[in-house]
Amino acid sequence: EKYATGADFSGEFGDGALPHLAKIEVPTLIYGSVAEYNRDLNEGGPCASMWPKFECVFSQVGSPVKELYVDNLRDQSCAHAHGALMQKDTLTTFAEGKPWAVVRSFL
């Protein structure tokens, strides 16, 4: 809940330990959007559920092969940014297709 009190898009209070991430040994891509930082998935909700911030998750993943991509979009809702790569109509258009290109290059 403290994460939700940080300024929108700031990542403030976004650090947190998730020990199980150290066990990940396969190549890993961490993808996210600044639009998700300190914001609730559903506008007006009680918490910011995209915690910990992506850089923190990345640093804890145990795989020696890993990449991090966080876009800098601030004009999207948290829900739209979070789900853009799951919807056929926004897969190649969200953020000018750059997130989808990152996923494809990783694969």
Side-chain angles (χ1 to χ4, degrees), residues 5-84:
T5 66
D8 284 357
F9 318 114
S10 70
E12 185 178 17
F13 310 120
D15 292 326
L18 299 173
H20 65 282
L21 295 177
K23 296 177 185 176
I24 297 173
E25 298 175 351
V26 298
T28 303
L29 171 65
I30 304 294
Y31 161 77
S33 176
V34 168
E36 298 171 88
Y37 283 179
N38 303 90
R39 301 174 76 207
D40 189 67
L41 185 60
N42 300 306
E43 298 295 323
C47 67
S49 53
M50 304 309 141
W51 177 91
K53 64 184 178 181
F54 303 112
E55 294 87 348
C56 184
V57 170
F58 178 80
S59 70
Q60 295 177 69
V61 169
S63 175
V65 178
K66 57 187 177 180
E67 293 182 26
L68 172 67
Y69 177 84
V70 181
D71 68 41
N72 61 358
L73 298 176
R74 295 169 185 250
D75 62 347
Q76 303 292 320
S77 71
C78 180
H80 187 216
H82 187 70

Side-chain angles (χ1 to χ4, degrees), residues 29 31 67 69 85 90-94 96-107:
L29 171 65
Y31 161 77
E67 293 182 26
Y69 177 84
L85 295 184
T90 57
L91 186 64
T92 59
T93 59
F94 179 74
E96 299 174 354
K98 292 174 187 168
W100 178 234
V102 168
V103 171
R104 288 190 349 249
S105 73
F106 184 78
L107 298 174

